[in-house]
Amino acid sequence: MEEKKLDINSIIGFVLIFGILAYMLWQNQPTPEELEAQEKAKQEQVEAEQKVKQQEQTKFTAASEYEVGPEVDSIQKIALKNKLGAFALSAINASDKETNIETDLLALKFNNKGGYLSEVRLKKFVNYDSIPIYIIKDNNVDFNINFGTTDSRILNTRDLYFEPQVSKNGENTIVSMKLKVSETKFLEYRYELKPDDYMIDFSVKSQGLSDVFNSSQAINLDWKLKGYRHAKSISYENRYTDIHYEFEGGKADYTGARDADEDIEDVAWIGYKQHFFSSILLTDSPFKTANIKTENLVQEEEVDTVYTKMFASKLPLELKGGELNESMDWYYGPNDFKVLNAYDRNLDEIVPFGWGIFGWINRYVFMPLFAFLGGFMPYGIAIVVMTILVKILLSFVQYKQFLSQAKMKILKPELDAIREKYKDNKMKAQQETMALQTKAGASPLAGCLPALIQLPVFYALFQFFPSAFDLRQKSFLWADDLSSYDTVANLPFNIPFYGDHVSLFPLLASIAIFFYMRLTTGQNMQAQPQQEGMPDMAKMMKYMMYFSPIMMLFFFNNYASGLSLYYFISNLISIGIILVIKNYILDEDKIHAQIQENKKKPKKQSKFQAKMKEMMEQAEKQKQAQQKRKK
């Protein structure tokens, strides 16, 4: 075999490759500036590593920054003691975990850090998008007690770690969260949960801490909550989202939908109401004072929004014998009148049935009637049946109203003649007009009074349907949820004050209102005597006939479809009643004959009519005297 030898070409190739590599290394060597930067980076890395080691040694110097666990060295214990004082023991022994508890109605999580409820889910309800209803979730709540200590510290329970303990008391579950100084000295949050109850017994008690609390400094309970959106229309939900409270020995009030910042006294309970669900803090011994705040979190109603409003309360706590001892309750549940009323603590005031006579009508008439009907028929049908019953009950009022209009229509020629005869003496014309109406037994007021009688019922039902929890997520015809708007078409754009959808029930109600007003407005115009300014009045009434249905269409497009269904059926029935009265009950010839008979009979004036006549005569005399003096 021939031996291979290194020839001249190979040698030249190796030399060239080496030269090229040497040149590349020389070209890419770092500049003095780069060498300085590299040296500086190494130094910073060393300093950073030293800083991390220092932080690990002192990582418990702030309660909100440390990672707790069962193994803590002596240096960390000293740091904890310096920061937390007597409560360092809880931080050393605690762990940053949650305690999960479920009842028949509630799924709850208690956070060891802060000791408060960090999650509340209502197991029997879902929102408009079939997502479970959470009152508390993902840090939307802040519950804190702020206090001073005798060694000049200011502590917040939200930053401190509690030790949990779960036990049973019969069927009830007890969750004890303790912030310990020692095994015999602690601050305790105690929760007692019943199997089938939305109310949770809650107490804040301390033991052996009279030498820890600084009695000269205020102790405040701060409770904040961002309300989650639960309804399809956030603007509609926000209209019924506010703070309700009981104060001054049984009075109930609320902030309304606006932003609020109020100070109240002698407070028995505070409720963060979110249209159909509420979080309520109750106390056995009323808080002497409280500051409550609400803030609207919805900037643009057209944009998908997570939260509705921010709620905040600041409540002062008092030491008794140097210790805390507050017995309270939490309610997390639906704004169902029957559920709230059963607690007999005035919580049903959260349901906005209206004030005065309106609330009375809803509580004692419409609520029992609707509950009875809804017990054996679909709720949509129950609304229709209740509407029919209400209209039948008020049909005599409509009859009186239509009868008065018919009388005024028959008297119209005579009233026009009086005004023509005394066109230069308006006072005399009014006197003669009143005299004729009195003799005939007809008066414009007789047509107004029946309408006024219907107003309390109208307003009561306007308050009732948006507040009826039983309507929530109940379907009827094309409406998926009678407590929210029904949608038959989605628009590719948003119309101001109307929305981005078309609701059919408000549209039908608007059409029914138009025809109802056309009937009643025409009757009123025929009954009104001609006088100066009458053409302008006629135009205004004609405009109202078109304007009112349009307002109804815009106003109710985002309202509860159950309310629009009521107005639609109500106006249909009203139209039917008017047509029946007009065509089959009232006989204008008989009415005219009766008026003529009434005119022949001597008519005794009432005290009011006599007083009015006297005042008009005095005014006429004064006018004549003024005219003589001018001459």
Side-chain angles (χ1 to χ4, degrees), residues 96-113:
D96 193 6
K97 295 181 180 179
E98 292 179 320
T99 302
N100 300 328
I101 301 292
E102 288 199 24
T103 68
D104 297 335
L105 303 176
L106 303 170
L108 308 170
K109 289 184 180 181
F110 300 84
N111 198 332
N112 293 355
K113 185 178 181 181

Side-chain angles (χ1 to χ4, degrees), residues 295-428:
E295 179 187 355
N296 184 22
L297 300 179
V298 181
Q299 300 299 325
E300 296 183 33
E301 295 178 353
E302 297 79 24
V303 178
D304 192 20
T305 307
V306 176
Y307 302 106
T308 55
K309 282 187 171 69
M310 165 66 82
F311 306 105
S313 298
K314 186 174 184 179
L315 307 163
L317 303 180
E318 294 184 352
L319 293 175
K320 300 170 185 176
E323 302 283 359
L324 279 176
N325 189 359
E326 298 286 348
S327 295
M328 295 177 276
D329 299 283
W330 287 110
Y331 175 85
Y332 295 104
N335 295 331
D336 187 331
F337 179 83
K338 299 184 292 295
V339 174
L340 294 171
N341 190 50
Y343 290 109
D344 196 25
R345 298 187 68 173
N346 212 24
L347 295 181
D348 53 280
E349 291 290 341
I350 282 182
V351 182
F353 279 155
W355 53 272
I357 189 174
F358 312 113
W360 187 91
I361 292 173
N362 279 327
R363 286 172 182 268
Y364 302 109
V365 179
F366 292 137
M367 173 58 71
L369 176 61
F370 190 68
F372 170 73
L373 295 173
F376 60 89
M377 62 178 65
Y379 282 100
I381 300 297
I383 292 175
V384 175
V385 173
M386 190 169 80
T387 307
I388 293 172
L389 293 175
V390 170
K391 296 307 292 185
I392 291 174
L393 183 65
L394 295 176
S395 59
F396 79 97
V397 176
Q398 276 194 290
Y399 172 76
K400 289 288 185 182
Q401 185 177 7
F402 209 81
L403 176 62
S404 175
Q405 293 173 355
K407 288 182 177 180
M408 293 298 296
K409 178 183 176 183
I410 292 168
L411 287 176
K412 184 175 181 297
E414 295 181 60
L415 294 172
D416 289 342
I418 290 173
R419 283 175 172 77
E420 180 63 26
K421 182 178 180 180
Y422 299 103
K423 60 183 179 181
D424 297 327
N425 191 340
K426 292 184 179 180
M427 190 66 68
K428 184 65 175 177

Side-chain angles (χ1 to χ4, degrees), residues 229 232-233 301-303 485 487 489-503 557-558:
R229 172 187 182 177
K232 186 162 53 174
S233 172
E301 295 178 353
E302 297 79 24
V303 178
Y485 59 81
T487 304
N490 290 306
L491 303 176
F493 48 83
N494 184 76
I495 301 175
F497 306 107
Y498 182 75
D500 59 358
H501 63 276
V502 177
S503 297
N557 193 59
N558 290 295

Side-chain angles (χ1 to χ4, degrees), residues 174-382:
I174 297 174
V175 178
S176 172
M177 309 291 288
K178 288 184 178 179
L179 178 62
K180 291 183 177 180
V181 172
S182 67
E183 291 300 323
T184 58
K185 300 175 70 174
F186 51 82
L187 174 67
E188 180 186 24
Y189 293 169
R190 185 180 185 277
Y191 305 84
E192 185 167 354
L193 294 78
K194 306 174 187 68
D196 192 20
D197 200 341
Y198 291 106
M199 191 74 75
I200 302 171
D201 292 346
F202 174 62
S203 61
V204 177
K205 296 181 179 180
S206 66
Q207 178 178 304
L209 299 186
S210 57
D211 60 341
V212 176
F213 289 126
N214 187 341
S215 59
S216 64
Q217 292 183 330
I219 301 177
N220 292 310
L221 187 159
D222 294 310
W223 174 37
K224 298 178 182 178
L225 179 75
K226 288 194 293 185
Y228 276 115
R229 172 187 182 177
H230 297 138
K232 186 162 53 174
S233 172
I234 193 167
S235 60
Y236 183 64
E237 182 177 14
N238 236 359
R239 192 176 289 114
Y240 297 95
T241 299
D242 52 16
I243 295 182
H244 285 241
Y245 53 90
E246 182 185 313
F247 68 115
E248 294 182 359
K251 297 179 183 178
D253 206 346
Y254 58 96
T255 58
R258 59 183 173 80
D259 288 357
D261 186 346
E262 299 179 11
D263 293 312
I264 50 181
E265 298 179 351
D266 194 23
V267 184
W269 53 260
I270 295 175
Y272 296 165
K273 175 177 173 289
Q274 301 169 233
H275 194 187
F276 282 128
F277 301 96
S278 286
S279 310
I280 308 173
L281 177 63
L282 307 94
T283 177
D284 293 347
S285 300
F287 301 109
K288 288 186 176 180
T289 61
N291 175 261
I292 54 175
K293 296 180 181 179
T294 61
E295 179 187 355
N296 184 22
L297 300 179
V298 181
Q299 300 299 325
E300 296 183 33
E301 295 178 353
E302 297 79 24
V303 178
D304 192 20
T305 307
V306 176
Y307 302 106
T308 55
K309 282 187 171 69
M310 165 66 82
F311 306 105
S313 298
K314 186 174 184 179
L315 307 163
L317 303 180
E318 294 184 352
L319 293 175
K320 300 170 185 176
E323 302 283 359
L324 279 176
N325 189 359
E326 298 286 348
S327 295
M328 295 177 276
D329 299 283
W330 287 110
Y331 175 85
Y332 295 104
N335 295 331
D336 187 331
F337 179 83
K338 299 184 292 295
V339 174
L340 294 171
N341 190 50
Y343 290 109
D344 196 25
R345 298 187 68 173
N346 212 24
L347 295 181
D348 53 280
E349 291 290 341
I350 282 182
V351 182
F353 279 155
W355 53 272
I357 189 174
F358 312 113
W360 187 91
I361 292 173
N362 279 327
R363 286 172 182 268
Y364 302 109
V365 179
F366 292 137
M367 173 58 71
L369 176 61
F370 190 68
F372 170 73
L373 295 173
F376 60 89
M377 62 178 65
Y379 282 100
I381 300 297

